[in-house]
């Protein structure tokens, strides 16, 4: 009687079999089988995304509750097999064997099977069934299969496999009711699937690591097993599916006559990329300005509420300005993720990798590396996060290590300021603007160095035999809007969460460097009238640790044509590259709010004099600084993301080190070489 | 002969998947097992990789992988 009170904990009576741990159900399936869409349909927004400890495989969990039953639903990464050759496969295996911390062995597995690609999808199912956990098939894309006249007798399929088969269309949420009913039923039962294809049944008992080594060392027997599974599947397939004429040119192949055409395919690829970047820059401009203004207003507001002093400066100049400086890039990052999601879900991404693999493999990279690298032109962060699609660890690392050479949007203000100050109005051949040529040259320099670096990395520390390039070209499909948007926000949130703490910490450190030590002079700040206050700002930064650091490194950066003030600006721009502009404004007393088009700032830079009266900046200095910014690792957020993605500080240090050395050498060559050639 | 010898549009039956462990295993897992029929759909702009159709879906592999797939003579 008491049980009828709708108390969520009431049915967990002490005798319930799953007392402390609720049911655990795993969702497994091939990539492109509609697994994510089904996961979203079953869990709604009640999901949690994190990483499996120590690796960058996404750990997605959701709460699935239907009619009083509830389970923890685990979305495994998309898999073709469970042989533990790739990281995804190894993680999936560990989940299914109950070897993951905080996760008990699943009570049931939902195998997501694409009805339009039944045979190959069933391969994973046979492997899943060998784990001895109850399995149920969610047959997706049945509507699409019908359109292709593929007739699947689900009854027969279920009988032959001896596990339940439930057709679902996740988009319309039909079949999910029946699926949940049967899934919960089998999860509470102990029906282990029968694996008749294994010669001496029992076979792989899924004990984890040990038999992984066994199956890897015994190639012949592994291949025999694969063959046995496919033989079984082939038999099941013939008995339950009325095959269609395969020779009928399928829709995707027709589309691909143009999209992967030897000539037009490449033209269209370039057009799509240009369109994506154009859209990112134009769409992101407004929200970025708004965010910028918003953080400005927030800073002012908070500033006016707080009493003057160190705490106020810390909050306003350190935290709000520092974190805000990164967060204004969020619209760009979101849009990039949006386009990446769309390109992935439509199936185009695989085509792009197909088109470019030959080119990329010349420098030792995978075809899939092109997208992370392209993304890095907007921002290296989504680019580096997008390298997850590259299976081979060394290929992935090589891509991560060269991604920041692509000139990102934060470098644009730096290039723009230098060009406006020293190269404006000049032309090459009388009609091409020198500024445009230089801008293009900076992009080209980044790409060239990236190509050389990739080549060298893949020949040395990241040397590996070329991994097999075996990539499905999935049929073209309309992306599911909800999945795409959810994907976009999940990834953006992961970025904020991952990079947030590091960015906050470094913002505070950088602020402290430019703030401390404070002498008696500070007291005068309150008395200062507007114009004078900038003066004290400049003096403060001059006397700060950053100023001292700038002076300390001056002998080192002098050969590059930089004085200590530029040194300070370079140190401060580690927060984000575009901070160079605002730091220079502070140092030259123009005011913090000057942007790269500000005529006063441009004048101040042009007129800055050394002690001996010669100008600090020459066109050659500007060029040297631009080259430095193309190659130097001047971005704490990128390093924070690399730390997360590689799970190691050594790669972060290596990346910072080799990029800084390259930047230094290239700047040195530019400046000293330029001087030798008689430029100034 | 191997799959790499086939012309675009040609079909053949897989006889064996040779080659080093990881590669042959990957190919077999993707459904390229002895007895299955394969069609070469096209090759990428620079001649590599190639697109094939097997077990009702499309797959891209490099020519080096195609060379370890032994096939019967082409059926048109």
């Amino acid at each position: 009687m008491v049980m009828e009170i709708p108390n969520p904990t009431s049915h967990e009576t002490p005798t319930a079999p799953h007392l402390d741990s609720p049911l655990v159900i795993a969702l497994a399936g091939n990539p492109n089988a509609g697994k994510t869409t089904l996961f979203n349909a079953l869990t709604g927004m009640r999901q949690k995304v994190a990483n499996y400890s120590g690796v960058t495989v996404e750990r997605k969990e959701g709460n699935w509750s239907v009619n009083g039953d509830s389970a923890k639903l685990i979305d495994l990464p998309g898999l073709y097999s469970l042989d533990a050759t790739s990281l995804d496969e190894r993680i999936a295996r560990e989940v299914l064997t109950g070897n993951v911390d905080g996760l008990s062995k699943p009570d049931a597995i939902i195998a997501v099977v694409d009805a339009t690609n039944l045979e190959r999808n069933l391969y994973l199912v046979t492997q899943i069934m060998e784990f001895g956990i109850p399995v149920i098939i969610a047959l997706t894309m049945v509507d699409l299969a019908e359109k292709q006249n593929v007739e699947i007798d689900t009854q027969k399929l279920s009988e032959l496999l001896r596990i339940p088969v439930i057709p679902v269309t996740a988009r319309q949420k039909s079949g999910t009711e029946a699926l949940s009913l049967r899934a919960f039923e089998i999860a509470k039962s102990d029906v282990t699937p029968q694996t008749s294809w294994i010669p001496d049944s029992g076979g792989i008992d899924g004990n984890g690591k040990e038999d992984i080594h066994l199956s890897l060392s015994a190639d012949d027997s592994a291949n025999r097993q694969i063959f046995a599974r496919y033989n079984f599947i082939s038999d099941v397939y013939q008995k339950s599916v009325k095959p269609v004429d395969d020779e009928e040119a399928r829709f995707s192949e027709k589309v691909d006559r143009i999209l992967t055409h030897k000539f037009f395919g490449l033209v269209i690829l370039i057009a799509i990329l240009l369109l994506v970047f154009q859209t990112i820059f134009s769409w992101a401009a407004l929200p970025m300005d708004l965010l910028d203004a918003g953080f400005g207003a927030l800073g002012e507001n908070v500033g006016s509420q707080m009493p003057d002093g160190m705490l106020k400066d810390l909050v306003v100049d350190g935290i709000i300005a520092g974190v805000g400086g990164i967060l204004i890039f969020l619209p760009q990052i979101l849009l990039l993720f949006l386009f990446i999601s769309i390109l992935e879900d439509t199936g185009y991404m695989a085509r792009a990798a197909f088109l470019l693999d030959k080119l990329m493999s010349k420098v030792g990279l995978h075809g899939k590396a092109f997208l992370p690298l392209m993304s890095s032109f907007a921002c290296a962060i989504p680019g580096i996060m997008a390298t997850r699609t590259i299976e081979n660890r060394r290929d992935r690392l090589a891509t991560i290590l060269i991604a920041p050479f692509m000139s990102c949007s934060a470098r644009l203000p730096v290039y723009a300021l230098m060009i406006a100050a020293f190269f404006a109005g000049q032309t090459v051949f009388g009609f091409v603007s020198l500024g445009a040529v230089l801008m293009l040259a900076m992009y080209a320099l980044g790409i060239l160095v990236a190509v050389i670096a990739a080549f060298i990395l893949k020949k040395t520390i990241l040397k590996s035999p070329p991994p097999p390039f075996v990539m499905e070209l999935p049929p073209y499909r309309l992306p599911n809007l909800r999945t795409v948007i959810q994907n976009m926000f999940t990834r953006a949130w992961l970025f904020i969460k991952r990079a947030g703490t590091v960015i906050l910490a470094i913002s505070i450190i950088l602020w402290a460097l430019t703030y401390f030590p404070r002498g008696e002079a500070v007291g005068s700040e309150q008395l200062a009238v507007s114009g004078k206050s900038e003066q004290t700002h400049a003096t403060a930064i001059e006397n700060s640790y950053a100023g001292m650091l700038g002076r300390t490194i001056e002998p080192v950066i002098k050969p590059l044509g930089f004085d200590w003030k530029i040194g300070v600006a370079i140190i401060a721009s580690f927060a984000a590259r575009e901070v160079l502009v605002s730091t220079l404004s502070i140092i030259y007393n123009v005011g913090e709010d000057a942007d790269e088009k500000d005529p006063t700032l441009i004048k101040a830079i042009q007129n800055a004099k050394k002690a001996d009266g010669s100008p600090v900046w020459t066109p050659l200095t500007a060029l040297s600084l631009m080259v430095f910014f193309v190659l130097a690792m001047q971005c704490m957020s990128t390093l924070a993301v690399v730390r997360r993605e590689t799970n190691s500080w050594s790669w972060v240090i290596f990346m910072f080190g080799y990029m800084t050395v390259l930047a230094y050498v290239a700047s040195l060559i530019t400046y000293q070489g330029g001087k030798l050639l008689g430029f100034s | 002969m191997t799959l790499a010898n086939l012309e675009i549009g040609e079909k053949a039956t897989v006889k064996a998947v040779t080659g080093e462990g990881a590669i042959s295993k990957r190919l077999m897992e993707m459904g390229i097992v002895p007895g299955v029929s394969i069609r070469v759909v096209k090759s990428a702009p620079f001649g590599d990789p190639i697109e094939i159709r097997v077990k009702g879906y499309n797959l891209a592999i490099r020519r080096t992988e195609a060379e370890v797939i032994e096939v019967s003579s082409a059926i048109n």
Side-chain angles (χ1 to χ4, degrees):
Chain A
M1 283 160 281
V2 189
M3 298 292 236
E4 282 173 32
I5 297 166
N7 178 343
T9 54
S10 66
H11 64 269
E12 285 183 10
T13 54
T15 47
H18 301 281
L19 171 61
D20 331 87
S21 48
L23 289 176
V24 174
I25 298 177
L27 203 58
N30 283 184
N32 310 306
K35 196 168 56 66
T36 308
T37 309
L38 181 62
F39 179 73
N40 288 342
L42 296 180
T43 60
M45 296 304 283
R46 291 154 304 184
Q47 41 180 275
K48 211 169 66 183
V49 184
N51 274 2
Y52 288 97
S53 67
V55 291
T56 49
V57 177
E58 258 172 36
R59 174 172 173 168
K60 275 173 90 179
E61 291 177 21
N63 181 12
W64 183 24
S65 42
V66 189
N67 308 329
D69 268 328
S70 79
K72 192 191 260 187
L73 195 64
I74 302 158
D75 189 16
L76 294 176
L79 306 160
Y80 290 112
S81 110
L82 275 166
D83 273 330
T85 36
S86 80
L87 190 61
D88 281 357
E89 289 169 10
R90 216 166 63 217
I91 291 294
R93 220 185 153 89
E94 278 176 12
V95 172
L96 296 184
T97 48
N99 280 330
V100 174
D101 282 345
L103 262 186
S104 53
K105 190 172 164 173
D107 299 286
I109 305 168
I110 299 177
V112 184
V113 170
D114 177 354
T116 65
N117 189 352
L118 196 60
E119 266 192 280
R120 202 212 53 222
N121 273 251
L122 283 178
Y123 179 76
L124 182 70
V125 178
T126 54
Q127 276 199 313
I128 289 172
M129 287 166 75
E130 291 165 15
F131 278 83
I133 300 169
V135 179
I136 178 171
I137 287 182
L139 194 64
T140 59
M141 320 271 176
V142 271
D143 44 343
L144 288 173
E146 261 167 44
K147 263 189 215 148
Q148 292 169 11
N149 297 320
V150 181
E151 279 175 40
I152 302 171
D153 184 344
T154 49
Q155 193 77 41
K156 188 90 189 159
L157 189 62
S158 170
E159 269 168 36
L160 292 166
L161 293 170
R162 297 187 224 173
I163 55 174
V165 177
I166 313 283
V168 292
T169 46
R171 283 163 207 238
Q172 287 87 37
K173 290 199 179 192
S174 80
T176 50
E177 188 104 348
L179 179 70
S180 56
L181 218 67
R182 291 303 301 275
F184 281 108
E185 193 183 302
I186 62 156
K188 290 172 194 163
S189 75
D190 277 317
V191 278
T192 43
Q194 294 181 35
T195 51
S196 55
W197 54 90
I198 298 177
D200 36 19
S201 217
I204 309 163
D205 61 359
N207 262 340
K209 285 174 187 159
E210 253 130 10
D211 54 278
I212 294 170
H213 291 304
L214 200 91
S215 68
L216 278 179
S217 56
D219 285 328
D220 268 357
S221 83
N223 284 357
R224 263 202 299 277
Q225 267 173 0
I226 300 171
F227 190 56
R229 291 182 194 121
Y230 265 116
N231 266 345
F232 170 78
I233 291 163
S234 181
D235 186 49
V236 169
Y237 184 80
Q238 274 160 24
K239 286 176 183 157
S240 57
V241 180
K242 200 181 119 198
V244 281
D245 186 7
D246 192 44
E247 284 318 291
E248 171 196 3
R250 301 276 295 270
F251 172 72
S252 292
E253 275 186 29
K254 270 187 199 156
V255 176
D256 269 342
R257 275 184 209 156
I258 302 160
L259 289 191
T260 58
H261 185 271
K262 282 182 166 42
F263 175 71
F264 295 111
L266 288 171
V267 173
I268 292 168
L269 175 67
I270 292 165
I272 289 177
L273 292 175
L274 283 178
L275 193 76
V276 166
F277 284 102
Q278 178 58 38
T279 319
I280 288 171
F281 283 116
S282 58
W283 285 5
L286 181 68
M288 282 174 82
D289 286 347
L290 288 177
L291 274 173
D292 197 17
F295 278 108
L298 179 69
E300 260 173 47
N301 225 311
V302 172
S304 67
Q305 305 282 321
M306 292 177 72
D308 279 343
M310 198 185 83
L311 190 66
K312 173 179 156 179
D313 284 353
L314 168 66
V315 172
V316 176
D317 297 337
I319 297 173
I320 297 179
V323 175
I326 303 299
L327 288 186
I328 58 163
F329 288 99
L330 205 55
Q332 270 192 356
I333 294 174
L334 273 173
L335 279 171
L336 248 170
F337 282 145
L338 174 75
F339 284 115
I340 291 174
S341 281
I342 293 174
L343 290 177
E344 264 172 4
D345 289 4
T346 48
Y348 185 74
M349 198 75 92
R351 269 72 183 189
F354 176 72
L355 285 171
L356 294 173
D357 180 66
K358 183 76 181 177
L359 274 186
M360 305 294 290
S361 67
K362 286 226 162 96
V363 287
L365 293 175
H366 193 278
K368 284 181 182 169
F370 106 95
L371 184 101
L373 294 177
M374 286 310 293
S375 306
S376 301
F377 281 115
C379 178
I381 290 156
I384 286 167
M385 288 169 78
T387 58
R388 291 180 174 200
T389 51
I390 303 167
E391 283 171 43
N392 182 279
R393 192 175 149 271
R394 283 160 187 253
D395 281 8
R396 180 161 177 246
L397 265 172
T399 313
I400 289 176
L401 287 173
I402 63 164
F405 285 129
M406 307 294 131
S407 278
C408 64
S409 56
R411 283 162 169 118
L412 276 175
V414 179
Y415 299 163
L417 176 67
M418 293 299 120
I419 287 170
F422 299 101
F423 306 102
Q426 301 177 47
T427 53
V428 193
F429 309 125
F431 64 97
V432 186
S433 128
L434 179 60
V437 172
L438 281 177
M439 194 75 105
L440 208 65
M442 293 306 124
Y443 277 84
L445 175 67
I447 297 170
L448 183 74
V449 171
V451 165
I452 297 170
F455 188 77
I456 294 171
L457 285 170
K458 286 295 292 176
K459 285 262 182 256
T460 54
I461 51 171
L462 295 177
K463 197 179 167 89
S464 63
F469 178 88
V470 179
M471 182 184 67
E472 186 183 2
L473 295 167
Y476 286 107
R477 271 173 197 155
L478 270 181
N480 180 298
L481 193 68
R482 201 177 139 194
T483 309
V484 164
I485 289 180
Q486 210 160 357
N487 227 330
M488 170 176 96
F489 282 111
T490 310
R491 287 180 192 181
W493 177 237
L494 272 180
F495 157 63
I496 296 175
K497 221 168 59 175
R498 267 171 206 174
T501 42
V502 179
I503 291 169
L504 184 67
I506 298 179
S507 294
I508 294 172
I509 293 171
L510 284 174
W511 167 83
L513 281 178
T514 54
Y515 188 88
F516 292 109
R518 290 254 134 171
E520 286 308 304
V522 187
S524 67
E525 205 175 347
Q526 279 126 12
L527 301 171
V529 269
S530 55
K532 187 109 192 312
S533 117
E534 303 297 354
Q535 186 69 47
T536 34
H537 259 289
T539 343
I541 210 168
E542 211 177 315
N543 297 325
S544 69
Y545 288 121
M548 290 179 215
L549 215 56
R551 284 177 205 280
T552 316
I553 62 167
E554 192 171 31
V556 181
I557 58 174
K558 210 166 182 179
L560 312 184
F562 307 156
D563 70 346
W564 70 269
K565 289 183 177 176
I566 301 178
V568 173
I570 288 175
I571 293 167
S573 67
F574 185 61
R577 291 180 175 92
E578 86 282 6
V579 170
L580 179 95
V581 177
S582 59
T583 312
L584 286 177
S585 321
I586 296 172
I587 294 178
Y588 290 122
N589 301 324
V590 188
E592 287 171 62
D593 300 329
D595 65 15
E596 70 274 12
K597 282 168 253 148
D598 191 295
T600 350
L601 174 61
I602 291 171
K603 254 210 179 71
I605 289 175
Q606 286 167 339
N607 294 335
K609 294 278 189 295
K610 288 182 195 163
D612 62 2
S614 62
V616 172
W617 294 82
T618 63
L620 199 55
T621 317
L623 197 62
S624 171
L625 187 70
M626 282 164 79
V627 168
F628 189 84
F629 266 74
V630 171
L631 304 177
M633 183 61 258
Q634 289 281 93
C635 178
M636 60 174 175
S637 321
T638 303
L639 290 179
V641 167
V642 171
R643 161 73 185 84
R644 293 292 174 176
E645 294 293 313
T646 59
N647 203 35
S648 108
W649 280 110
S650 10
W651 285 114
V652 174
I653 293 164
F654 175 76
M655 182 183 217
F656 182 77
Y658 102 100
M659 289 184 70
T660 309
V661 169
L662 267 177
Y664 186 88
V665 171
S667 267
L668 189 73
I669 294 171
T670 309
Y671 191 72
Q672 298 299 338
K675 275 202 348 202
L676 281 179
L677 293 174
F679 291 100
S680 63
Chain B
M1 70 189 277
T2 71
L3 187 65
N5 303 122
L6 291 191
E7 298 289 319
I8 286 157
E10 281 184 334
K11 268 171 86 176
T13 306
V14 173
K15 287 204 299 199
V17 183
T18 59
E20 181 253 320
I23 293 172
S24 68
K25 197 164 133 202
R26 196 47 157 179
L27 291 169
M28 283 185 70
E29 283 171 349
M30 298 302 278
I32 304 173
V33 287
V36 82
S37 88
I38 278 191
R39 171 165 59 94
V40 178
V41 180
K42 65 161 64 178
S43 70
F46 307 101
D48 200 16
I50 59 169
E51 177 180 351
I52 58 171
R53 188 163 176 88
V54 60
K55 291 222 179 260
Y57 79 100
N58 296 50
L59 191 68
I61 58 174
R62 286 195 186 137
R63 284 196 181 272
T64 47
E65 272 101 49
E67 278 162 10
V68 305
I69 302 169
E70 273 179 42
V71 293
S72 67
S73 56
I75 324 153
N76 278 311

